[in-house]
């Protein structure tokens, strides 16, 4: 099967059902300790964004859950912003 046939073929309804769209998963309410950790992660993200001059950004998850409610995801965004800021401050590393 060539690429033209692969991309030109139609999906049957049964095949479409085997790849469901991502839906938001239901999460349990956060405990007070988890809420405090989440707020701390958001403070870190706000600080990193201010230092880097970031005014807005968008992010999403693969499973449809809200990254904003997950401290690990918020901290991953913080690391990404800090890493990008460090890389742009150093300049290109052409060898």
């Amino acid at each position: 099967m060539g690429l033209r046939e692969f991309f030109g073929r139609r999906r049957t309804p049964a095949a479409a059902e085997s790849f469901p769209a991502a839906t938001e998963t239901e999460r349990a309410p956060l405990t007070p300790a988890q809420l405090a950790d989440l707020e701390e992660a958001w403070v870190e993200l706000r600080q990193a964004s201010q230092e880097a001059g970031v005014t807005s950004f968008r992010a999403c998850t693969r499973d449809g859950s809200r990254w904003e409610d997950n401290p690990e995801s918020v901290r991953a965004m913080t690391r990404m912003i800090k890493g990008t800021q460090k890389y742009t401050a150093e300049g290109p590393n052409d060898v």
Side-chain angles (χ1 to χ4, degrees):
M1 173 187 299
L3 286 177
R4 197 172 297 233
E5 291 84 19
F6 177 77
F7 288 113
R9 66 185 176 146
R10 304 268 182 202
R11 289 176 56 180
T12 63
E17 289 175 8
S18 64
F19 297 104
T23 58
E24 189 170 329
T25 56
E26 190 66 31
R27 294 187 59 172
L30 298 175
T31 65
Q34 290 171 324
L35 284 173
D37 188 36
L38 179 61
E39 184 56 37
E40 182 180 325
W42 271 102
V43 168
E44 294 168 7
L45 179 59
R46 283 187 211 102
Q47 182 180 2
S49 298
Q50 276 185 331
E51 291 172 1
V54 174
T55 56
S56 67
F57 55 84
R58 291 180 180 228
C60 62
T61 60
R62 293 181 182 178
D63 65 357
S65 63
R66 293 177 47 87
W67 69 271
E68 300 95 337
D69 298 336
N70 185 334
E72 292 83 21
S73 297
V74 175
R75 287 194 173 99
M77 289 295 295
T78 303
R79 286 190 303 273
M80 189 264 317
I81 289 172
K82 286 181 177 180
T84 303
Q85 180 185 16
K86 179 182 173 191
Y87 174 76
T88 55
E90 292 175 355
N93 295 332
D94 293 338
V95 178

